[in-house]
Amino acid sequence: MKWLQIHITVDQAQVDFTETLLSSLGAVSVTLDDAENQDLLEPLPGETPLWNKVIVTGIYAQEDNEEIDVAALETFIRAQMPDAPLRSEYLEDQVWERSWMDYYEPIQISEKFWIVPEWLEPPEADAVNIKLDPGLAFGTGNHASTFLCLQWLGKTDLKDKIVIDYGCGSGILGVAALLLGAKKVYATDIDPQAILATQQNADLNGVLEQLFVGLPDEFNETFGSQKADVLVANILAGPLMALAPEFATLTKYEAEFALAGVIEEQVADVSSIYSEFFDILEVETREENWCRISGKRHKA
């Protein structure tokens, strides 16, 4: 079987119409992709953020004994959307699950520290290798914010420490902390899918018994009046600023912290709010715009 792909580049406001049009013309699947390398941050539950410019792709199945009238399809689409860039191409049949997996490769965070998709062999068997299912939730190590947090964990003394992973996504940071020597990780996220993903990735790496993960109310009840030695939060600037007083109550004097999901233009505002509770020791930037803010809890 062959597969015909028709790609149409549209503004965000035209996406719904384009999806409906392609489906009405017999597409077996319609996918969306970024047309301008625009970053999207982790969505809240129920949200579906879109890029400003979107490539909408309709996929049509062609049996060996049938021909798709590509010219007729393109003529009809152009009549409905005369200004939208359009192109088509054929794909040979393949094992699509394997094709998806081929996009992922091991990521080296630092010396002797790797993120390894679960179906691949680690490049260095004696390194700290985090096995990860990249399809479960936000957080694979590819995004600059996640990479910056992993780098920071890799150079932080975590041995026998209590660590909080706030906004855990796939659980990659909490799992990394445990593999790097942490005694216990308390992880939380507002997305139930992230809770499941974190549990599965912790189990995949053999550290599930050392990790608690739950929604914020469950986290607060379980963590109680403890104080953490280390806190890492890879979320967004707005929630980070709102959470500063809570993070202060969750951490002990001189506890180390790292915040990410912040762009350069937001660093001053985030740092100003955190300076009431924490000493800002370092701001690290990756890929020009994404930043990690780190430091230590000072005395109240």
Side-chain angles (χ1 to χ4, degrees), residues 1-4 28 60-68 90-91 93:
M1 181 181 290
K2 284 187 176 180
W3 302 87
L4 172 69
V28 297
Y60 297 82
Q62 176 177 291
E63 300 289 346
D64 292 339
N65 59 348
E66 296 180 5
E67 285 289 335
I68 296 175
Y90 276 105
L91 294 177
D93 205 4

Side-chain angles (χ1 to χ4, degrees), residues 268-288:
D269 289 340
V270 175
S271 297
S272 175
I273 289 175
Y274 273 79
S275 64
E276 180 180 348
F277 312 101
F278 299 88
D279 294 322
I280 308 298
L281 302 180
E282 181 184 55
V283 176
E284 184 76 17
T285 303
R286 182 175 172 82
E287 293 179 3
E288 297 182 357

Side-chain angles (χ1 to χ4, degrees), residues 36-293:
E36 294 183 328
N37 294 319
Q38 177 189 352
D39 283 311
L40 286 182
L41 297 176
E42 180 180 11
L44 295 172
E47 290 184 349
T48 307
L50 279 179
W51 305 277
N52 294 331
K53 282 280 190 181
V54 181
I55 301 171
V56 185
T57 300
I59 301 177
Y60 297 82
Q62 176 177 291
E63 300 289 346
D64 292 339
N65 59 348
E66 296 180 5
E67 285 289 335
I68 296 175
D69 191 339
V70 181
L73 276 175
E74 291 185 348
T75 298
F76 186 85
I77 293 168
R78 287 196 168 98
Q80 311 302 313
M81 309 180 68
D83 298 324
L86 181 152
R87 65 182 178 87
S88 59
E89 63 181 343
Y90 276 105
L91 294 177
E92 297 296 331
D93 205 4
Q94 57 182 297
V95 181
W96 296 105
E97 293 85 353
R98 181 68 255 173
S99 177
W100 171 80
M101 292 163 67
D102 286 345
Y103 280 100
Y104 290 93
E105 295 180 350
I107 301 169
Q108 185 169 22
I109 304 302
S110 60
E111 187 177 0
K112 298 295 182 181
F113 185 17
W114 291 79
I115 308 297
V116 184
E118 63 170 316
W119 57 87
L120 296 180
E121 289 296 319
E124 295 183 74
D126 61 343
V128 174
N129 292 301
I130 305 174
K131 299 175 186 176
L132 189 72
D133 179 350
L136 290 173
F138 182 86
T140 64
N142 284 292
H143 193 278
S145 293
T146 309
F147 188 92
L148 285 166
C149 289
L150 288 166
Q151 273 193 328
W152 181 82
L153 287 170
K155 65 182 183 180
T156 300
D157 180 11
L158 300 175
K159 186 172 176 56
D160 296 325
K161 301 289 180 66
I162 294 176
V163 177
I164 291 174
D165 177 6
Y166 210 99
C168 55
S170 68
I172 187 172
L173 301 181
V175 169
L178 289 168
L179 292 178
L180 291 165
K183 177 171 69 175
K184 180 80 175 183
V185 167
Y186 292 86
T188 185
D189 202 290
I190 60 175
D191 184 356
Q193 177 63 31
I195 307 306
L196 176 63
T198 297
Q199 291 171 336
Q200 292 181 356
N201 281 319
D203 189 39
L204 184 63
N205 286 275
V207 295
L208 185 58
E209 291 186 1
Q210 298 163 263
L211 178 137
F212 166 84
V213 60
L215 297 169
D217 287 347
E218 299 168 318
F219 165 83
N220 291 333
E221 182 178 350
T222 301
F223 193 73
S225 60
Q226 295 183 78
K227 300 288 185 181
D229 302 294
V230 176
L231 183 146
V232 60
N234 180 21
I235 41 181
L236 299 171
L240 284 174
M241 290 189 284
L243 285 164
E246 182 175 348
F247 286 175
T249 66
L250 291 171
T251 50
K252 61 178 62 172
Y253 169 56
E254 291 199 333
E256 297 184 83
F257 76 96
L259 313 174
V262 179
I263 60 175
E264 284 184 314
E265 293 82 357
Q266 300 166 331
V267 168
D269 289 340
V270 175
S271 297
S272 175
I273 289 175
Y274 273 79
S275 64
E276 180 180 348
F277 312 101
F278 299 88
D279 294 322
I280 308 298
L281 302 180
E282 181 184 55
V283 176
E284 184 76 17
T285 303
R286 182 175 172 82
E287 293 179 3
E288 297 182 357
N289 204 33
W290 292 101
C291 300
R292 180 194 69 229
I293 302 168

